[in-house]
Amino acid sequence: MTPEEERSGDLLDVALADEIELVSDLVVAASSSPRHFTPDEVDDLLGITGGAAAASPSGTAPA
């Protein structure tokens, strides 16, 4: 594979593109707000359901 072929595949990472889109959506929302978002509001903006319990591997909220 040539270096040019390798570079052409660099931007095909779908998961990375999705993460960049989520972060950009969050930045746009934050820049239009006069205050900081709560963790629950960030979850809502990112489309995450279940709050901290869903993010924890044990299913319990962190202490």
Side-chain angles (χ1 to χ4, degrees):
M1 183 176 282
T2 67
E4 185 175 312
E5 291 170 332
E6 288 177 3
R7 281 192 301 273
S8 70
D10 287 348
L11 298 178
L12 298 179
D13 187 335
V14 176
L16 179 59
D18 289 345
E19 289 181 23
I20 291 170
E21 184 177 350
L22 287 173
V23 170
S24 64
D25 290 347
L26 188 56
V27 168
V28 168
S31 67
S32 65
S33 176
R35 61 179 181 77
H36 292 184
F37 291 124
T38 66
D40 287 337
E41 289 172 324
V42 171
D43 288 348
D44 288 342
L45 287 167
L46 296 176
I48 298 171
T49 58
S56 174
S58 67
T60 60

